[in-house]
Amino acid sequence: MSLFYGSSVILPSNRMRRPVNSWSWHEVFHVDKDVLTDVLQRALEAGITTEPTPSHLGSRPACRDESIQRQLTQFLSGTGDLTCFDRTMFSFGFWGAVRISREVLAMHLLHRASKVGPNQTAAELQRFLDLDHTPAYAVLAVRGIETTQETDITDDIRLIPYDAVPQSLSKDMADSIAAASEQAPFMAPQRGESLRPKAALVKQIRISPKTCDATDDRVSPDEMSMLRQVCSVLTLVGRSTPMAFCSWVDIEEWVPCRDLLSCGVGGTLVATESLPLHKMTDDDCSDASMLSKQFLRLEHRDQETLLTSLDRLNRSKRRFNAIDKAIDLGIAMEILLLHDRSKHDQIAFPFRLRGAWLLAKSAKERIKIERTLNSIYDCRCQAVHSGKCEAPTREESLPRLFERGQDLCAEVARCILRRGVFPDWHKLVLGGEG
């Protein structure tokens, strides 16, 4: 079973057949698969060598029989439909492009044939030519959570074990960054913790057009943005503190020249802090999918408000200092409960009132929640104004108060997600549905 959704296409015999799942009509190119298969088969029988190269290609596959190598080169040079390999810029979407030539294509075909055979290699080249886009996927490596299963978060986003992400030059680079961070004395993780991510969010994308001019200044949509948003939403799953480590885009394994290319990694975070590792259960994975779908249905303005709050909630969970915990938790709660208030309004009373009415169904429950929110607000004010933070009562420690406050904050966010909109606070506190 393939990890990623494959592109369903019908290999056409005509030059103007529309591939399944394509977005628009486009010209279909053709390569003589029988001739290519024969050349590759004879190349394999003669033997393939791999010579090191100083370029980003890593190695240069070539046939031991120079005459067969020339035949392959001549075949590719004489096939007019391979224009996307005429030293054009092979597009990685918003990540940029890499120049590809038919010489590079020849190296790929030899390398790929040695792995999957000549027939499949030729079929993959034709399959790529039939498409009006390049099948690819965006990867966001995530620290702070660990999963052992693959979960469909949305129709095109999956949460998977990091080790299940296909190996590539980009992933090798991400692993090198994590390993280098572990070796740096001032970045050494606590208690031997590995800085290598344990989970990844993966989104299927289509890169179109396949190639672009080096001077092309068009702006492509940032497919990684949605993955970062989903990563933030995972803060609501249990007591997890997910953090994006780095991101990259890879084209699917079968796409020509994929094994020779890399777009690099972006958004790399220097892993200076030790994160508690939350191991995702089956229920957690289902919860993550539900919460993410609810979030993506929100209006953009509400998404932005919620993401700002979740960022502060995540920070509060990670903080070791009580003052920092109190400030971040207070900000997270105020964003959710007081986002519509001006800086001149009184906020202490509506802060407690709104939270109590939103989360509780009975007077007894409202009183309990109101007291907890009052304690959180007091701690936040102490931290901001005096640089101190003390437990409100002897019966409850600060760590326990912060934990309860973080759970309440998460529940407020969940209530908003279930509603699909922020409440009408005026109606809610007057006893209406809000």
Side-chain angles (χ1 to χ4, degrees):
M1 178 179 177
S2 175
L3 170 63
F4 299 108
Y5 307 115
S7 299
S8 174
V9 297
I10 298 175
L11 300 181
S13 56
N14 300 326
R15 289 176 61 86
M16 292 299 291
R17 184 76 60 84
R18 186 182 187 187
V20 178
N21 289 349
S22 98
W23 289 343
S24 60
W25 289 91
H26 72 288
E27 186 175 9
V28 174
F29 299 112
H30 177 71
V31 63
D32 193 326
K33 292 189 294 181
D34 291 336
V35 174
L36 179 56
T37 299
D38 177 67
V39 174
L40 292 176
Q41 181 61 50
R42 289 189 288 114
L44 288 180
E45 292 171 355
I48 306 295
T49 63
T50 54
E51 299 178 0
T53 173
S55 73
H56 68 281
L57 298 177
S59 61
R60 185 186 298 273
C63 179
R64 294 183 183 275
D65 189 325
E66 293 183 1
S67 65
I68 298 176
Q69 181 73 39
R70 286 195 298 271
Q71 290 176 31
L72 176 60
T73 302
Q74 291 170 359
F75 170 78
L76 297 179
S77 299
T79 304
D81 287 346
L82 298 176
T83 54
C84 58
F85 299 100
D86 285 337
R87 297 196 61 78
T88 55
M89 297 296 286
F90 200 95
S91 177
F92 282 104
F94 59 93
W95 287 87
V98 177
R99 195 172 297 283
I100 295 297
S101 65
R102 298 196 189 201
E103 179 187 12
V104 174
L105 176 60
M107 288 190 286
H108 159 78
L109 294 174
L110 291 172
H111 177 70
R112 188 67 175 164
S114 67
K115 294 175 62 177
V116 301
N119 285 299
Q120 183 173 331
T121 300
E124 289 172 349
L125 177 58
Q126 181 63 63
R127 178 185 177 188
F128 177 69
L129 296 174
D130 290 339
L131 296 175
D132 62 352
H133 63 277
T134 301
Y137 53 92
V139 179
L140 184 70
V142 182
R143 293 184 63 227
I145 60 173
E146 179 179 12
T147 182
T148 58
Q149 64 186 64
E150 300 174 15
T151 303
D152 292 330
I153 298 297
T154 66
D155 290 341
D156 58 357
I157 295 179
R158 308 187 84 186
L159 175 66
I160 67 174
Y162 180 75
D163 287 339
V165 178
Q167 207 64 37
S168 67
L169 296 177
S170 295
K171 188 179 181 184
D172 290 344
M173 190 179 300
D175 290 341
S176 297
I177 293 170
S181 297
E182 291 176 351
Q183 297 302 316
F186 60 91
M187 299 181 195
Q190 297 183 5
R191 299 180 299 277
E193 176 203 2
S194 173
L195 298 183
R196 193 169 184 266
K198 301 291 186 181
L201 288 163
V202 180
K203 185 179 189 297
Q204 292 301 121
I205 62 175
R206 290 182 169 192
I207 298 174
S208 182
K210 297 177 182 177
T211 61
C212 62
D213 187 86
T215 61
D216 194 341
D217 59 356
R218 288 175 297 173
V219 178
S220 300
D222 187 353
E223 298 285 355
M224 210 64 68
S225 176
M226 188 178 294
L227 296 185
R228 295 191 191 98
Q229 292 174 358
V230 171
C231 180
S232 293
V233 173
L234 296 183
T235 300
L236 298 176
V237 177
R239 299 201 53 76
S240 65
T241 53
M243 287 187 66
F245 177 65
C246 63
S247 56
W248 67 89
V249 168
D250 263 323
I251 53 182
E252 290 190 7
E253 183 182 14
W254 63 269
V255 174
C257 300
R258 185 263 189 190
D259 44 9
L260 303 174
L261 301 176
S262 172
C263 66
V265 298
T268 305
L269 295 176
V270 178
T272 57
E273 63 180 297
S274 178
L275 294 178
L277 186 63
H278 179 81
K279 297 185 177 182
M280 303 281 285
T281 65
D282 291 346
D283 289 341
D284 286 339
C285 291
S286 298
D287 196 29
S289 178
M290 178 191 68
L291 292 169
S292 298
K293 291 174 182 176
Q294 290 173 340
F295 171 82
L296 294 173
R297 287 194 290 265
L298 292 177
E299 294 290 336
H300 177 72
R301 182 179 61 181
D302 290 343
Q303 287 182 350
E304 290 296 315
T305 302
L306 193 62
L307 287 173
T308 306
S309 175
L310 292 179
D311 174 65
R312 288 292 181 167
L313 175 59
N314 193 304
R315 291 170 184 257
S316 177
K317 290 181 179 181
R318 303 194 323 259
R319 300 293 195 188
F320 291 101
N321 184 286
I323 295 174
D324 293 333
K325 275 185 175 292
I327 292 175
D328 282 320
L329 177 56
I331 293 174
M333 292 289 287
E334 287 184 25
I335 290 171
L336 294 179
L337 298 175
L338 304 170
H339 64 96
D340 60 331
R341 309 286 288 192
S342 76
K343 62 182 180 180
H344 302 294
D345 292 336
Q346 294 292 326
I347 62 174
F349 180 64
F351 178 82
R352 306 192 306 268
L353 189 65
R354 289 180 173 187
W357 275 96
L358 179 65
L359 298 178
K361 299 299 183 183
S362 67
K364 184 177 180 180
E365 290 176 334
R366 292 188 190 104
I367 291 172
K368 183 178 180 180
I369 291 175
E370 189 272 343
R371 288 175 177 170
T372 299
L373 293 176
N374 187 54
S375 297
I376 292 170
Y377 187 82
D378 285 346
C379 285
R380 183 259 187 196
C381 289
Q382 289 178 40
V384 170
H385 298 298
S386 67
K388 299 178 181 179
C389 193
E390 299 177 354
T393 65
R394 293 182 179 179
E395 289 75 22
E396 185 170 42
S397 65
L398 277 179
R400 175 56 183 157
L401 174 63
F402 290 145
E403 187 174 313
R404 287 209 298 134
Q406 290 159 0
D407 290 344
L408 284 178
C409 185
E411 187 54 37
V412 171
R414 284 172 171 272
C415 283
I416 294 169
L417 289 174
R418 285 195 295 268
R419 289 167 171 262
V421 67
F422 276 79
D424 182 328
W425 298 109
H426 185 67
K427 289 182 178 180
L428 182 68
V429 298
L430 292 178
E433 292 298 323

